[in-house]
Amino acid sequence: MFDLTRLRLLRELAHRGTMTAVAEAMGMTSSAVSQQLATLAREAGVELLEQVGRRVRLTAQGERLAAHADTVLRQLDAAALELREFAQQPAGELQVAGFSTFAKHYLLPAVARAQRRFPRLRVRLSELESDDALAAVREGRCDLALSFAYNLVPRAPVAGLSAQALLEEPVLLALPATWRDRGGAVDLRRLARQDWIVGARQSDDGLLAERACAAAGFAPRIAHTIDDYDLMLRMVAAGFGIGFVPQLALRAPSAAAVAVRAVRGAPPTRRIHAWTRDALAESPLVRALLAELREVVAADAR
């Protein structure tokens, strides 16, 4: 059985390169470090060090044992952290605000996982659009806000709030199923005479259409303002207009009735962040839910 302190010294030597550097980092003398590594070599039954001029370096066996030491010590650190977290399991109520498309596919599974893992954690959900969710966090009415922003309509940093990125997804064009192209990206200039459908409750959807179309040399003719993506897709299928739809919203059954195309050139994207007050960023409640959210998002991407 190897001594963990000696394994740590070997790992430090592999990382730092000299006995002197290891001794300084570990608060020991160079002689003490050398003695401990000599003992480790006897325990291992192989030569771990070799003399090169006035310095020493790891042998091939020493490098292999140092790599194993790094793995073992990392696992022990992870185990210690897990035990500390278990001893201080998140308990209490967490108020979360977010928008429906993300909540349906990611937030609800993450909340269910978090509450199974931490039975004393309770999550309260509010459906709010991005601006309203951020305002609720700033004003203390909720603890965590899930918001989105388009790359063509970036969101400025908010004083006193911390943001963590969760997901970036493409934003695509929803067109009638009769659209004559059979695939490939669409040049927006071909859509200058179309009616457009944008969101009703916030300005970002309209700004996205305006800026994307402006880059193509025209102003979109906005005919309808609809927030529900399922309704919007049904309207596109019925020929009422066209519009931008984030990839996540295309999981609705009504998406099967429309043609979906990317935008030629620099396609728009939607970025989703979790926001909380700086004072809550390290809260066990916030960290527990964010960890589950990241796992659900990552699992969906696999």
Side-chain angles (χ1 to χ4, degrees):
M1 182 68 67
F2 295 126
D3 181 84
L4 293 178
T5 299
R6 293 169 191 144
L7 288 177
R8 197 176 299 276
L9 290 173
L10 184 67
R11 182 181 69 171
E12 289 299 313
L13 181 59
H15 175 66
R16 299 178 187 277
T18 68
M19 293 282 195
T20 301
V22 174
E24 291 176 354
M26 303 298 289
M28 302 170 64
T29 64
S30 296
S31 176
V33 172
S34 179
Q35 291 173 11
Q36 290 293 320
L37 291 178
T39 301
L40 180 62
R42 288 195 296 272
E43 292 174 345
V46 296
E47 293 295 330
L48 300 178
L49 305 175
E50 60 185 356
Q51 196 76 30
V52 180
R54 300 178 62 184
R55 301 178 61 180
V56 297
R57 70 181 180 190
L58 295 179
T59 63
Q61 295 95 328
E63 290 178 351
R64 291 189 65 181
L65 183 56
H68 285 301
D70 184 64
T71 299
V72 169
L73 292 168
R74 286 178 183 272
Q75 290 177 336
L76 287 173
D77 288 341
L81 177 61
E82 184 176 319
L83 289 174
R84 286 198 299 272
E85 290 178 346
F86 183 80
Q88 300 175 344
Q89 284 196 4
E93 186 171 289
L94 187 67
Q95 298 280 349
V96 181
F99 56 100
S100 62
T101 51
F102 188 82
K104 289 176 185 176
H105 299 288
Y106 296 126
L107 179 57
L108 292 184
V111 169
R113 286 167 55 112
Q115 292 188 155
R116 283 196 301 269
R117 184 177 181 188
F118 305 111
R120 294 186 295 162
L121 169 63
R122 288 290 175 266
V123 179
R124 301 289 180 256
L125 302 179
S126 299
E127 182 186 354
L128 294 175
E129 292 299 324
S130 294
D131 289 341
D132 294 334
L134 286 172
V137 170
R138 282 198 310 271
E139 296 164 9
R141 291 183 284 112
C142 76
D143 306 308
L144 190 69
L146 300 168
S147 77
F148 67 82
Y150 301 112
N151 60 338
L152 296 183
V153 192
R155 188 177 299 280
V158 182
L161 299 188
S162 301
Q164 297 191 39
L166 296 174
L167 175 69
E168 182 169 9
E169 60 178 339
V171 175
L172 305 166
L173 275 170
L175 303 161
T178 54
W179 182 255
R180 53 187 171 276
D181 287 354
R182 291 298 179 183
V186 175
D187 187 337
L188 282 179
R189 290 175 295 182
R190 298 181 57 193
L191 305 174
R193 296 185 179 182
Q194 298 289 324
D195 287 337
W196 285 75
I197 307 170
V198 300
R201 284 183 288 185
Q202 61 173 23
S203 61
D204 286 9
D205 291 340
L207 287 172
L208 171 66
E210 290 171 4
R211 292 178 182 180
C213 294
F218 69 95
R221 187 170 63 204
I222 296 174
H224 311 282
T225 54
I226 302 295
D227 279 318
D228 182 82
Y229 282 119
D230 180 66
L231 175 57
M232 175 191 173
L233 291 169
R234 291 174 185 271
M235 292 177 67
V236 171
F240 286 89
I242 63 175
F244 286 116
V245 184
Q247 188 175 55
L248 195 56
L250 292 169
R251 298 185 183 187
S254 51
V258 303
V260 178
R261 300 289 184 271
V263 175
R264 185 174 298 171
T269 62
R270 184 171 81 162
R271 297 173 181 136
I272 298 171
H273 287 80
W275 296 76
T276 190
R277 293 185 294 283
D278 290 341
L280 295 179
E282 295 302 317
S283 159
L285 299 174
V286 170
R287 291 176 60 189
L289 183 57
L290 285 180
E292 298 299 339
L293 264 175
R294 292 192 194 94
E295 180 59 32
V296 170
V297 170
D300 187 62
R302 290 196 284 266

